[in-house]
Amino acid sequence: YVLKVIVQSVQLLYTLLRIDQPSYILLQNPPGLPSIAVAWVAGLFWGSKLIIDWHNYGYSIMSLSHGRNHPLVLIAKWYEKLFGRLSDYNLCVTDAMKEDLWVNFKIKAVTLYDKPASYFKETPLDLQHNLYMKLAKDYEPFKPRYVNAERSAFTERDGKGGNVVKIRGRPALLISSTSWTEDEDFSVLLRALEGKGPLKDYYNGLIQKLHFKHIQICTPWLEAEDYPLLLGSADLGVCLHKSSSGLDLPMKVVDMFGCCLPVCAIYFKCLHELVKHNENGLIFRDSKELAEQLKMLFSEFPSLEGKLHSFRQNLRKSRQLRWDESWDQIVLPLGCQIHSCSCTDLGNNE
């Protein structure tokens, strides 16, 4: 760890000191070790303002592997607290984190919620069909029951008019985005269905041992451009992310909501700032509760009646801010007030 931190510090500082002089250094944390300290030193050299964007705490992520009382975790917490106070300004992703930063670190921050990029949106039916046909080449669940050159498990193209339609009696498409890391217990979903990360092989082993009659599971690695298309094509998203600190929100749900995709998400204490239970999705606490929610949501599928449809309608009506709009409304005015700068200047340094 020590050698890695030293090497990264030298590399990062060398890189920062070679760029054109910046007015602001905007740093996302985590990862903050050693980047917070290095960015602060570079800011002193350049006379730049350091803005930290707190997405979580690095020490809380380390504690998932080492335990909260491990010496490395305690050092990382001390480091974030010390150098975090040296920043000129701070952003954070939840009101809960804003309060925690002040109470425990004496750091004042402004809440800037994560927002989806503009390309996260509902996918038109013809693009859904193209994506399904592409995935059907490699993944069995996307293949049709009957061989047809213009048919997937979910859609087919009319040979005469060329129009794409959804297949009657099609299966529901449930998606759970995951990094296969320690902060997501994927077995919760597997137990609920039953009645490139470090843990992918483990969960794939569990999947192979299960014998479902009406459920097919695949774990594809999607190309970057296909991921938002799949979210915009799905019927339900499931989020198993449990915040290591209990203070950040899952970006995967933000992206799903950008695609007007209803979500079932596992509970943690500040999740209500994003998922509104019974409004844009459902919150569950264990596999039994998730199983009941899935049964209820898909009981009349693919009917346009019921909770699943009403959640999607609510998401359509909510018209969320996109990332660039949120930046312009929250960050630019704050920069002008605090640093007496030009909004255009800060915008150009975005």
Side-chain angles (χ1 to χ4, degrees):
Y1 271 119
V2 173
L3 181 60
K4 182 179 179 180
V5 167
I6 293 173
V7 171
Q8 288 183 340
S9 298
V10 173
Q11 291 174 331
L12 182 57
L13 185 60
Y14 176 76
T15 300
L16 284 174
L17 296 184
R18 294 187 67 205
I19 65 175
D20 293 336
Q21 181 178 359
S23 300
Y24 303 90
I25 299 176
L26 177 59
L27 172 70
Q28 179 179 304
N29 181 62
L33 185 64
S35 56
I36 300 178
V38 174
W40 175 71
V41 171
L44 288 180
F45 178 83
W46 287 121
S48 307
K49 300 291 185 181
L50 175 60
I51 305 173
I52 299 180
D53 183 14
W54 297 83
H55 278 238
N56 201 345
Y57 295 133
Y59 78 86
S60 69
I61 295 177
M62 291 179 65
S63 71
L64 294 176
S65 301
H66 302 291
R68 289 194 172 273
N69 295 320
H70 192 282
L72 286 175
V73 175
L74 297 177
I75 291 172
K77 184 176 182 178
W78 168 83
Y79 164 85
E80 281 185 285
K81 184 175 182 179
L82 173 65
F83 285 94
R85 289 177 176 175
L86 299 177
S87 60
D88 294 285
Y89 203 58
N90 296 272
L91 306 171
C92 62
V93 292
T94 64
D95 286 337
M97 178 168 282
K98 174 183 176 180
E99 181 180 358
D100 190 81
L101 281 168
W102 175 246
V103 171
N104 294 312
F105 285 17
K106 292 298 181 286
I107 293 174
K108 290 184 177 181
V110 170
T111 303
L112 175 66
Y113 287 110
D114 279 323
K115 297 296 179 182
S118 59
Y119 49 80
F120 284 99
K121 55 189 177 183
E122 291 187 80
T123 305
L125 197 54
D126 59 333
L127 293 183
Q128 289 186 32
H129 179 70
N130 293 340
L131 176 64
Y132 295 149
M133 296 298 291
K134 178 180 178 180
L135 294 174
K137 295 177 182 178
D138 299 310
Y139 303 106
E140 188 68 29
F142 291 92
K143 296 179 180 179
R145 294 181 181 177
Y146 309 104
V147 178
N148 187 313
E150 286 297 329
R151 188 171 190 170
S152 71
F154 305 92
T155 56
E156 65 179 343
R157 188 181 297 276
D158 185 350
K160 295 180 179 179
N163 296 323
V164 175
V165 295
K166 293 183 178 180
I167 295 175
R168 291 187 62 184
R170 68 181 178 90
L173 178 56
L174 183 154
I175 185 170
S176 182
S177 310
T178 179
S179 303
W180 305 105
T181 47
E182 292 92 341
D183 58 357
E184 292 178 322
D185 185 359
F186 208 74
S187 62
V188 173
L189 176 58
L190 298 182
R191 289 196 299 268
L193 293 177
E194 194 177 22
K196 178 175 172 185
L199 300 181
K200 183 175 183 179
D201 291 340
Y202 169 74
Y203 285 119
N204 275 333
L206 291 182
I207 290 170
Q208 291 171 7
K209 294 178 183 178
L210 298 175
H211 301 284
F212 293 122
K213 292 183 178 179
H214 305 290
I215 297 170
Q216 289 182 291
I217 300 175
C218 69
T219 55
W221 178 263
L222 298 173
E223 296 177 12
E225 61 270 19
D226 288 340
Y227 177 59
L229 292 178
L230 188 58
L231 289 188
S233 305
D235 298 296
L236 178 69
V238 172
C239 177
L240 302 166
H241 170 84
K242 278 191 172 181
S243 168
S244 61
S245 64
L247 300 171
D248 70 307
L249 295 172
M251 189 63 202
K252 63 196 69 178
V253 174
V254 174
D255 294 337
M256 289 174 181
F257 282 171
C259 296
C260 296
L261 178 63
V263 168
C264 291
I266 196 164
Y267 170 84
F268 58 90
K269 65 181 182 180
C270 72
L271 184 62
H272 65 276
E273 294 189 39
L274 178 61
V275 180
K276 313 298 182 185
H277 186 69
N278 262 328
E279 182 178 324
N280 55 19
L282 298 171
I283 297 175
F284 62 91
R285 294 175 180 268
D286 53 37
S287 58
K288 181 179 179 180
E289 191 172 5
L290 175 58
E292 292 301 318
Q293 291 176 0
L294 295 178
K295 290 178 185 177
M296 181 269 291
L297 292 173
F298 291 123
S299 61
E300 299 180 5
F301 185 85
S303 170
L304 294 181
E305 304 294 331
K307 288 281 189 181
L308 198 59
H309 181 66
S310 66
F311 291 161
R312 191 180 292 273
Q313 289 293 92
N314 290 340
L315 286 167
R316 287 169 177 161
K317 294 175 183 177
S318 65
R319 205 235 163 242
Q320 303 178 69
L321 287 177
R322 296 294 170 160
W323 171 251
D324 53 348
E325 297 171 321
S326 180
W327 176 276
D328 289 345
Q329 291 187 20
I330 297 175
V331 180
L332 293 190
L334 289 172
C336 292
Q337 294 169 14
I338 293 174
H339 304 301
S340 300
C341 69
S342 162
C343 285
T344 304
D345 179 47
L346 185 54
N348 288 338
N349 280 279
E350 177 185 351

